[in-house]
Amino acid sequence: FFSSSAPRATLKRDRMADPAQLSSCLAQTVNPDANARKQAEAWLEQFKKSPSAATSVLTLLTADGQPPHVKQAAAVFFKNMCKRHWDAEASEVTIGEDVKQQVRDNLLSLFLVVPESIQAQLSEAISIIASHDFPERWQALLPALVQQTGAALGVAPKDFKKGTALLQIGHSIFQRYRHEFKSDELYKEIKYVLELFQEPLLQLFSATLADLAGAQAAGGAAGCKLVVDTLTKLVSVAHDLCAQDLPEYFEDHLAEWMNGFVELLKYSNPALAADDDDAEPAPTSVLQAAVVESLALYMSKYEEEFQPFLGPCLGHAWSLLTSTSLAPHHDLLVTTSVRFLTTVACSVHHHHFAKAEVLNEVCHKIIAPNMQLLQADEELFEDQPFEYVRKDIEGSDADTRRRVAVELVRGLCRNYEVQVTQLFSANISTLLEQYKQNPAANWKAKDVAIYLVIALTIKGGTAARGATQTNALVDLHDFFSQHVLCELQAAATGAAPHPVLIADAVKFVSVFRVQLSRAVYDTVFPLLLSLLASPNPVVHTYAASAIERLLTVRDAPTAAAPAGARRFDAAALSPLLQQLLTSLFAILQRGGSEENPYVMRAIMRVSVVAEQAMAPYVQVCVDALNTILGRVCANPTNPTFNHYLFETVASLVKYICAATPAAVNAFEQLLFPPFQTVLQMDIAEFTPYVFQVLAQLLEARDGLSDAYSQLFPPLLTPTMWERPGNVPPLVRLLCAYAAKGKALVLDKVQMVLGVFQKLLARGATDQHAARLLSALWRACELAELQQYATPIFNLCIQRAQGYKKVGPSLVSTWSVFLARYGPRALWQQLESIQPGLANMVLRGLWGEWAPFVKGGRAERKAAVIGTVRLVCELPEVLADVDTAAALLSAAASMLAADAGVGDGGGAAAAGREQSAARVVPDAVARRRLGARTKRATRRRCGLFR
């Protein structure tokens, strides 16, 4: 009966795809007509279930007569197919191992013959495949890559274009080494790569560096660009291979690399220079930025080995930085170089900045110019306001001059806080005086002043809380009252300061929201409320975001409020609710702001904080939300906005229905029509949210209505479960059905168990399978499920034999079974499958995986209590010493972990830290000892030898 719910593909798996139809569908994926595009995507979704899908698409890339846009679409389709389905454990679509091997054998040679636009997609596909198969199942890749690269760049006539493309493949595979966590498997892989590539890489770097001088002497800009591009990839690959640890070969040949880096920092070629109005960086800037990024790596991780080369490298990076302009094409080089200076300033070698004249030069020649609002920023503010907001609020401006300049200020303040504060205090006073003399003309001076104060003041902070640690030398409240509040008051009274300054003032309030008192909140909230009416998109968006952020602030925890009381709570918010909601929804009716995610997030936060106080406004809010939902259903383009839209609905349901259960019917009358539209239109982006809210509504009801009864059978159809995003909310909805309508669930129990089997079969969904099964245990008597119990337990055990990581999910659901029916029922059930199985399962599975049970406190508590009950209530368990010991050890581990002690706990770490401090009290010596110890361990273990 379990197989009855398995999905059936509409495309036979043994049928070869028609190349003409495949080409036509790929062409339709870029068709402006949404219906044609949707039909093509549906066909391709079924096509990829064919065994020949991957090879058919790759064959299309070299087929004669295919237009470029079809080949491009084919490359994108292949890359996405690899991303979603190459890992069989995480996908329902299985790519056969013979097909995978065929792809691996031919993909590199195919890459070399396709155009550059397609190479970019194939390079990413190779990196995706390599992340799963390299090197164990793709042992031919690296030798072929090294050989082909050597042939292209090591033997005349050199093919720099081909060599650069091959190095790009290597970089796409190795760049994950920059961010992955350390592990034995990762180090073995890097060691394998180093054995084959480290020596050829240095040889190619040295040879190509020599070719650079020859190319420049020949005078051809095109030839120089090819060599520069190749050097950029060589430097990037070297960075990849050193990102985790410094290989011994690189350490032994560090002088060769560093001397080459210095030569590249000194390199200049007017023929490759960008024009002042160019936005894209010149090839030399890209190369030098890659070099400086590598220097920052060595400075941050291998400072002892890098120390002999720090002076020359720092000097040349400094000279390079001071020679740049404010032109956009220099942005990449400037931001990378400033980050390098920040790394040095935060290190034990910060003494390079200790002299007063050096600090003065850094502050006035590097930081101050790059703190300015550039022409490009002004254009962004006016022409693309939401991009301006996104970069600032979400921190995606990490690569901007202003952001890296702010980070350099903070880095310098770590060791020279007094000196830097004094230098910039004088600068800030001068800027504010300039603004005071002519506000209309010198508004940029105050903009820089506000940003300098923010940079100087923040010593620590998070996106969730804003500034958490501040510079005591800066009088934050005085600056706010003298120079920030006046801008907000002027804007509220119609005095109309420059919009950028209004945005700066709002940002100041948002950043320092934790430091501002409740009295300031009472003053600021009405001002922010008035700014919601501003016609400027940046201003009203900043105001909405600031309101949302202020509403998240909590005071210090107390005995009465362990989580901390809200600084601006529901009682304070209630008098402002009507005006606040009216203003926020009015923004969503303005042209250009119809899908403003920051405004919708503010509405969501208001509903969460106000809780039951939202009751008088529910009708208006839901009507407005329904109107918005109807609009976005036609073209869902903003997933963040859509998320907060449904979260707002969910918060209203949660708080209003909890206080007034009778409100459930009213919510259903309001929400069912738009939800029915979403389900009928099959809007994949929205169906998970609809199922989530339906689950909320059903959980708040006393029983099932006819509408829920009619909805239940379609929820069990296989197509509902094919989309991964549907699984969590659908499981929650089925659990609600089990709790509120047991009879209906028992009538379709075979189909429900079919869903359980389908979810249990995949590592990505086995925890949801356990949750669904637990809901059945809670709702039903054992006699009602007795005929299915043995097949269920058989499935669980078979899954555990093939995939051990399912253990925590099984322990979680078995804990519910034990709590519902008792330890004896669990023992008898296991023994009925095979005598002696109970002890084997409890010892080998429960005892091993119980400490890793996930979920909330209730799940962990059930697992602990269940484990103890097995020992205390079953004589058979006590009779088996190994089983009893395993269970008691598991229970102790869970209790210790939940109490914050155990392996890896804070006490052990503190003890190790104190011991190290006693042996080597000096911080610098301790870090250097660590570097030497690391090198010795590396050589002893042979990881990088």
Side-chain angles (χ1 to χ4, degrees), residues 319-385:
S319 300
L320 194 64
L321 184 57
T322 55
S323 66
T324 57
S325 67
L326 294 177
H329 62 81
H330 277 146
D331 288 351
L332 174 64
L333 181 57
V334 169
T335 54
T336 308
S337 300
V338 173
R339 280 203 201 95
F340 175 50
L341 296 186
T342 304
T343 305
V344 177
C346 295
S347 74
V348 295
H349 301 289
H350 59 78
H351 58 81
H352 286 279
F353 299 93
K355 294 181 180 180
E357 59 271 20
V358 174
L359 273 177
N360 186 69
E361 188 172 355
V362 171
C363 291
H364 293 98
K365 291 189 177 181
I366 294 178
I367 294 175
N370 290 299
M371 197 73 77
Q372 298 178 39
L373 188 71
L374 302 177
Q375 182 65 33
D377 297 325
E378 290 186 67
E379 294 174 357
L380 195 66
F381 186 95
E382 296 172 358
D383 301 334
Q384 301 182 53

Side-chain angles (χ1 to χ4, degrees), residues 276-319:
D276 288 342
D277 56 350
D278 285 344
E280 293 299 319
T284 51
S285 293
V286 176
L287 170 59
Q288 289 167 336
V291 170
V292 175
E293 187 179 17
S294 292
L295 297 180
L297 170 71
Y298 280 90
M299 184 67 255
S300 62
K301 299 191 70 171
Y302 318 119
E303 64 184 40
E304 182 184 0
E305 295 87 346
F306 181 59
Q307 183 178 0
F309 311 99
L310 174 58
C313 291
L314 182 61
H316 288 294
W318 187 296
S319 300

Side-chain angles (χ1 to χ4, degrees), residues 604-653:
M604 180 271 295
R605 187 69 59 195
V606 168
S607 67
V608 169
V609 174
E611 297 185 356
Q612 289 85 2
M614 288 289 294
Y617 313 104
V618 166
Q619 177 78 44
V620 176
C621 287
V622 173
D623 286 344
L625 294 171
N626 281 344
T627 301
I628 296 169
L629 179 59
R631 184 176 69 241
V632 298
C633 279
N635 187 20
T637 57
N638 192 328
T640 306
F641 176 85
N642 298 334
H643 172 79
Y644 290 123
L645 168 64
F646 281 98
E647 284 297 317
T648 303
V649 174
S651 67
L652 291 172
V653 171

Side-chain angles (χ1 to χ4, degrees), residues 48 54 58 75-88 91 95 100 103 107 121-122 124-132:
K48 67 183 180 183
L58 291 179
V76 172
F77 178 81
F78 175 74
K79 176 198 69 177
N80 291 334
M81 187 176 180
C82 293
K83 183 183 297 184
R84 296 169 187 165
H85 307 301
W86 197 269
D87 182 10
S91 171
I95 303 176
K100 289 184 177 181
V103 169
L107 194 53
Q121 302 297 330
L122 293 188
E124 189 173 346
I126 291 173
S127 69
I128 293 168
I129 297 172
S131 68
H132 298 291

Side-chain angles (χ1 to χ4, degrees), residues 553-637:
V553 175
R554 292 179 179 271
D555 292 325
T558 63
R566 292 189 185 275
R567 187 165 299 178
F568 203 80
D569 56 13
L573 185 61
S574 295
L576 304 174
L577 271 179
Q578 184 172 0
Q579 183 184 358
L580 182 56
L581 291 170
T582 301
S583 299
L584 289 171
F585 279 113
I587 294 176
L588 298 178
Q589 297 176 4
R590 296 178 183 171
S593 290
E594 297 92 338
E595 296 185 23
N596 190 319
Y598 305 99
V599 174
M600 185 54 71
R601 183 169 67 176
I603 296 173
M604 180 271 295
R605 187 69 59 195
V606 168
S607 67
V608 169
V609 174
E611 297 185 356
Q612 289 85 2
M614 288 289 294
Y617 313 104
V618 166
Q619 177 78 44
V620 176
C621 287
V622 173
D623 286 344
L625 294 171
N626 281 344
T627 301
I628 296 169
L629 179 59
R631 184 176 69 241
V632 298
C633 279
N635 187 20
T637 57

